[in-house]
Amino acid sequence: MPRPLPLYGLMAEFDTPDQLLAAVKQARADGYRRLDAYTPMPVSGMGEALGTNTSPIAWAALAGGVFGGGGGLFMEWYANVVSYPLNIGGRPEAAWPAFVLPAFELTVLGATIFAALAMLALNRLPRLNHPVFEAPRFSAAEVDRFFLCIEAADPHFRPERTRAFLEACGAVSVSEVPG
Amino acid sequence: MAEGKSLPADLSDRGVTAQIAGAVLHPPGSGWAWLAVLGASGLLVAMLLVSIFWLFFKGVGVWGINIPVNWGIAISNTVWWIGIGHAGTFISAVLLVTGQHWRNSLNRFAEAMTLLAATCAAMYPVLHLGRPFYFYWVIPYPNVMHVWPQFRSPLEWDMFAFFTYLTVSLIFWYVGMIPDMAALRDTATGRRRQVVYGLMALGWRGSAAHWARWRRAYVIVAAIAVPLVVSVHSGVALLFAVGPIPGWHSTIFPPYFVLGAVFSGFAVVVMLAIVLRAVFGFRDLITDRHMDLLGQWLLATGLMTSYGYVMDAFTAWYSAEPFERGTLLDRVAGPYALSYWSAVVLNFVPLQLLWLPWLRRTMPVMFAVALAVTLGMWFERYMLVESALSRDFLPSSWGPYVPSLWEWMLFFGLVGFFLFAFTLFVRFLPAVPIAEVKEVLHEEREE
């Protein structure tokens, strides 16, 4: 007899984003912590309901901007004053007004790249395989269906009780996600 | 501008995916029309390659540029192309930050337009260099020659502005497209498409935590891109002001350049939107209301550009400086009168039709006005660059400029490149953002 597959979690399917949002809030209130919602479009309030902290992205953008702008300004100063000074008509070597434009562009560049990379890194992307892709009908999560997955790793997780909870939240169907 | 809904109430999520992904996975028609457009623009790309080859082989002498007019249509076209690109960033970033929902149907193809137009713009300064194979000398990098670029040079600013603009536009475009790649991956039936779109989706699974971070990153990049729009084209205007040439110094230049850029870009967005509506039947996604709003933007930015014309002329006259006045006279009644009056007439006169709301919803009218604006803005850039250079302070440095056949071939070749790449884009990538249109749909339903 084959061993039963380890369980990743239980996946509940909902009709509308509002039902899903209500279910997420209910699950958090019941003490579930390892859960995630899957939607075809950003749903406002869903990230907060799940307790997702997005502020590291803002800090990464700030760091990228400071690195790009400060580093750019330093590079310009170092290049045109220390490493390769050119005296053109007695004009100042540290020509701050002329240095501003490249430094500004590098600020924007650094902030953008850091923000995008921070988003990918925090989301653990790229990651091409993931257990939830095995859930039945999950591809509809990119079209028009709304899913809530409570992971088996959640200390609060009990297969029967969690299934009953999800059904009580108004899920259309609840299915097992193999781990 | 928030009142009124931009999308039809009976549109479903499934319908949105079916329409947009369908345009990629099951394109309408037999495919011959698409191949014909691709082939025709491909011929122009071949012409582009020939003209670039000849330029590299013989040098910039094959162009009509000379002393004093050493900035021919190469530079006026750079300004024109990068200006077209600005509308894409404006729609994506400024309207996102200000919370305008109607942008969501337009931003994807407008961003693609930005990328391609910025690529065309960035090609010109390199081709114009005379020794284009040394273009990397303007990039600061540790090198064995122990030479650094000159950061006080406007050419150097150009490099940073264009490189940043291209990179930021690319990141913004791709980050915005990741969820849609996942939608295509899950909708596609062929194995090859599933693999390609699956790789491009980076494993996106629509997780709410992902969405929250994605939204945050997207808004942050947009907020940073807003000053970028202003800085790139004001930078271009500043570049003119640094050259000691009459006719390039009015203080109105930076805002006038930026507004003219958004104006010409919106015109191209209007033309592309009309074509996409006609070809893919995107009338539920790019609605008449979108066209109406685009028409209002065209009218507003066009009138601001016209104010720039008036102020530019007024400053030259009021300065009482003979050389400034001379350049103005050259533009109004001299050898560059054709380009001046073409710009004024094409940019101002057809635009007045857009005061009437029903004409803003009449596609042939909108297309004609947008085409006139695109041409008019080209004449404006030509007039600004060429007339100022051809006569400066000494009669000994006066000279006419006539673009050569090779310059025209390069220009039309680049237009062909733009069309070629855009044709490929609408065939293989979602031209309208799937997830963001659904977001608007749900928000409008709740209102």
Side-chain angles (χ1 to χ4, degrees):
Chain A
M1 203 180 114
R3 283 196 322 138
L5 285 168
L7 192 66
Y8 175 77
L10 281 176
M11 180 75 85
E13 181 180 342
F14 293 89
D15 279 327
T16 67
D18 294 336
Q19 288 174 344
L20 176 61
L21 191 57
V24 165
K25 285 179 177 160
Q26 183 66 43
R28 294 273 298 179
D30 274 20
Y32 289 103
R33 285 296 171 267
R34 298 199 56 164
L35 68 170
D36 207 344
Y38 299 90
T39 58
M41 82 285 284
V43 177
S44 62
M46 194 72 84
E48 293 79 40
L50 280 163
T52 310
N53 181 12
T54 58
S55 54
I57 296 169
W59 287 110
L62 181 66
V66 170
F67 174 72
L73 210 51
F74 174 76
M75 173 183 71
E76 292 180 90
W77 171 82
Y78 175 79
N80 281 175
V81 176
V82 178
S83 177
Y84 195 68
L86 277 177
N87 187 334
I88 298 163
R91 289 184 180 83
E93 277 167 356
W96 303 114
F99 290 171
V100 166
L101 200 95
F104 173 76
E105 305 295 346
L106 288 172
T107 311
V108 172
L109 189 65
T112 305
I113 291 174
F114 275 47
L117 288 182
M119 186 271 285
L120 289 177
L122 289 169
N123 284 345
R124 304 277 187 275
L125 293 177
R127 171 177 177 173
L128 299 179
N129 72 316
H130 194 275
V132 295
F133 284 120
E134 298 301 321
R137 293 177 39 75
F138 186 72
S139 65
E142 305 295 351
V143 185
D144 61 350
R145 306 301 290 173
F146 302 86
F147 292 89
L148 173 61
C149 184
I150 298 184
E151 293 174 25
D154 193 313
H156 208 58
F157 184 88
R158 303 285 179 279
E160 294 78 28
R161 204 179 69 197
T162 305
R163 176 183 287 273
F165 163 77
L166 286 170
E167 276 162 359
C169 285
V172 183
S173 68
V174 179
S175 46
E176 290 184 355
V177 183
Chain B
M1 222 184 272
E3 81 281 354
K5 297 188 174 177
S6 52
L7 297 171
D10 57 346
L11 192 63
S12 69
D13 284 344
R14 192 161 282 277
V16 172
T17 307
Q19 275 202 42
I20 302 171
V24 174
L25 302 171
H26 319 284
S30 61
W32 284 107
W34 180 78
L35 273 179
V37 175
L38 196 71
S41 50
L43 285 177
L44 288 173
V45 174
M47 189 171 86
L48 171 74
L49 294 177
V50 170
S51 63
I52 290 178
F53 170 78
W54 192 244
L55 175 74
F56 283 6
F57 189 68
K58 294 289 279 187
V60 281
V62 300
W63 287 358
I65 54 171
N66 216 318
I67 302 297
V69 185
N70 43 23
W71 281 11
I73 60 172
I75 300 303
S76 58
N77 280 345
T78 298
V79 182
W80 184 70
W81 276 117
I82 196 90
I84 287 174
H86 277 42
T89 324
F90 193 87
I91 288 177
S92 316
V94 179
L95 299 185
L96 174 68
V97 171
T98 54
Q100 301 294 328
H101 285 161
W102 58 274
R103 72 178 266 285
N104 291 25
S105 296
L106 306 168
N107 68 340
R108 176 66 45 71
F109 73 87
E111 283 165 30
M113 175 194 83
T114 293
L115 264 183
L116 297 175
T119 309
C120 292
M123 261 191 238
Y124 268 120
V126 173
L127 294 175
H128 191 253
L129 277 177
R131 288 181 178 78
F133 33 90
Y134 290 138
F135 80 94
Y136 61 90
W137 283 14
V138 294
I139 301 168
Y141 66 102
N143 58 70
V144 290
M145 299 177 282
H146 297 289
V147 169
W148 282 91
Q150 174 57 274
F151 291 105
R152 280 166 284 193
S153 154
L155 185 69
E156 193 63 29
W157 306 347
D158 248 3
M159 198 283 291
F160 280 100
F162 280 58
F163 179 72
T164 301
Y165 196 56
L166 264 175
T167 316
V168 170
S169 306
L170 184 68
I171 291 174
F172 197 60
W173 184 66
Y174 187 70
V175 166
M177 210 155 50
I178 293 172
D180 288 2
M181 291 289 111
L184 278 171
R185 172 196 66 200
D186 293 343
T187 323
T189 44
R191 182 70 189 150
R192 207 174 45 182
R193 280 177 171 158
Q194 286 173 343
V195 169
V196 172
Y197 289 127
L199 287 174
M200 288 181 75
L202 307 178
W204 185 267
R205 50 187 185 272
S207 145
H210 288 187
W211 277 123
R213 296 190 189 106
W214 177 85
R215 174 54 81 199
R216 188 73 186 262
Y218 203 54
V219 171
I220 287 174
V221 175
I224 303 166
V226 175
L228 184 67
V229 182
V230 181
S231 83
V232 169
H233 229 69
S234 322
V236 171
L238 197 63
L239 222 114
F240 282 87
V242 170
I245 301 291
W248 281 354
H249 291 288
S250 12
T251 42
I252 194 78
F253 256 35
Y256 162 50
F257 266 48
V258 174
L259 288 166
V262 176
F263 180 42
S264 61
F266 267 107
V268 177
V269 168
V270 165
M271 290 196 282
L272 294 174
I274 291 173
V275 172
L276 286 178
R277 271 163 58 107
V279 173
F280 294 112
F282 281 166
R283 282 184 190 80
D284 289 346
L285 304 166
I286 308 170
T287 58
D288 281 354
R289 183 172 146 73
H290 286 110
M291 301 311 293
D292 185 49
L293 288 164
L294 282 175
Q296 291 179 23
W297 271 103
L298 260 188
L299 186 59
T301 48
L303 292 174
M304 294 178 208
T305 308
S306 304
Y307 174 77
Y309 290 158
V310 175
M311 278 317 291
D312 191 35
F314 174 79
T315 316
W317 168 74
Y318 198 66
S319 72
E321 210 216 322
F323 299 104
E324 289 285 338
R325 286 182 171 182
T327 302
L328 178 66
L329 269 180
D330 276 351
R331 288 175 182 171
V332 177
Y336 290 90
L338 180 67
S339 60
Y340 185 82
W341 292 108
S342 299
V344 171
V345 171
L346 287 170
N347 281 340
F348 187 71
V349 177
L351 194 67
Q352 306 311 317
L353 291 172
L354 300 184
W355 286 103
L356 298 171
W358 65 276
L359 282 178
R360 290 200 296 265
R361 292 165 184 258
T362 311
M363 291 312 121
V365 173
M366 281 290 278
F367 195 90
V369 171
L371 187 63
V373 169
T374 312
L375 292 173
M377 285 307 291
W378 187 87
F379 280 112
E380 184 207 298
R381 307 310 195 192
Y382 180 83
M383 173 269 291
L384 282 176
V385 174
E386 267 56 88
S387 67
L389 277 176
S390 73
R391 296 201 195 174
D392 61 14
F393 305 99
L394 290 171
S396 62
S397 57
W398 289 5
Y401 164 68
V402 181
S404 79
L405 179 66
W406 293 105
E407 279 167 292
W408 290 117
M409 279 173 63
L410 186 73
F411 173 48
F412 288 109
L414 275 177
V415 173
F417 166 78
F418 180 90
L419 292 176
F420 185 81
F422 200 84
T423 313
L424 287 175
F425 159 71
V426 295
R427 176 67 186 77
F428 293 109
L429 294 172
V432 176
I434 299 171
E436 288 186 272
V437 168
K438 285 179 192 165
E439 196 185 3
V440 174
L441 203 60
H442 281 265
E443 280 171 9
E444 288 193 345
R445 223 173 262 160
E446 278 171 20
E447 275 166 15

